[in-house]
Amino acid sequence: GYRLFCEADGWDRAPRPWCAAKVPYIYGFIQSHYWDVGFLRYFVAKQIPNFALAAPMIALSVSGIWSYAAHEPVRFVTLGLHQGGEHSLQKKAGVPPPRRSKGGHRTKAADGRNGGYFSGEVLVYVYQWAVMVLVATFVMNVQVATRFLACGCPPVYWYAAQLCHSQPVAGRALWAYFV
């Protein structure tokens, strides 16, 4: 694309504006110029219906990320590098601390399952999910936010399953939304 659009080679017209950038990036130029995609550019009154359509997925995502962070805030804040004890946020949220064996490893739940949604292995996916929610909400075309989050983010479904299992009323609402 660079040679075709940026090098003169006998052209009559001037090179496109993206050619003069430090890093010539045609995709970013097209998104900004033709689709008006950029930080907070979709926060206009005419986009309210699109935000309303994306709101359930964004709300589910924020709830899932917050629940994970509140379950073990020390692990969440320290990128999983430090396994601390109880934290005041856990106490405020009313979330019991995870059960651990004497060696510090997570014990199995009463029904034989290991950790589930709140396990340490999920942490990296929750970080990815948080970045995706921020990008979908503040940078992207909000019309594709639901597809973006539903297709590229498994923790959405892990959290939905955990919510359906632990809170039947919320589970029915989720079933209604996804069906």
Side-chain angles (χ1 to χ4, degrees):
Y2 183 82
R3 286 187 175 168
L4 181 63
F5 292 104
C6 297
E7 293 179 357
D9 286 345
W11 277 61
D12 291 354
R13 58 180 152 162
R16 301 293 292 167
W18 63 272
C19 296
K22 287 182 182 177
V23 177
Y25 182 53
I26 191 170
Y27 181 76
F29 171 75
I30 290 169
Q31 290 290 305
S32 176
H33 186 74
Y34 295 107
W35 293 98
D36 200 29
V37 171
F39 184 67
L40 299 179
R41 287 195 186 170
Y42 261 70
F43 281 76
V44 292
K46 70 180 183 177
Q47 295 298 337
I48 290 173
N50 292 322
F51 276 101
L53 289 171
M57 183 60 79
I58 292 171
L60 179 67
S61 295
V62 169
S63 173
I65 295 163
W66 178 258
S67 294
Y68 191 92
H71 189 267
E72 278 194 68
V74 173
R75 178 177 62 197
F76 186 80
V77 172
T78 61
L79 308 176
L81 299 174
H82 174 67
Q83 300 292 331
E86 283 191 56
H87 191 269
S88 62
L89 186 58
Q90 270 181 312
K91 291 178 185 175
K92 288 180 185 177
V95 178
R99 298 181 341 176
R100 297 193 180 280
S101 66
K102 290 180 182 176
H105 301 289
R106 185 177 297 277
T107 60
K108 288 190 175 188
D111 60 359
R113 293 177 295 124
N114 287 324
Y117 173 71
F118 294 110
S119 70
E121 290 82 10
V122 176
L123 182 62
V124 68
Y125 297 104
V126 174
Y127 289 136
Q128 175 200 9
W129 189 12
V131 170
M132 290 175 73
V133 169
L134 290 172
V135 170
T137 305
F138 297 112
V139 179
M140 282 179 54
N141 179 333
V142 75
Q143 296 163 341
V144 297
T146 299
R147 285 177 279 166
F148 178 68
L149 293 170
C151 293
C153 200
V156 169
Y157 299 104
W158 299 338
Y159 177 66
Q162 188 274 331
L163 204 56
C164 287
H165 179 72
S166 66
Q167 298 178 12
V169 175
R172 281 193 225 87
L174 281 172
W175 273 105
Y177 172 70
F178 281 116
V179 173

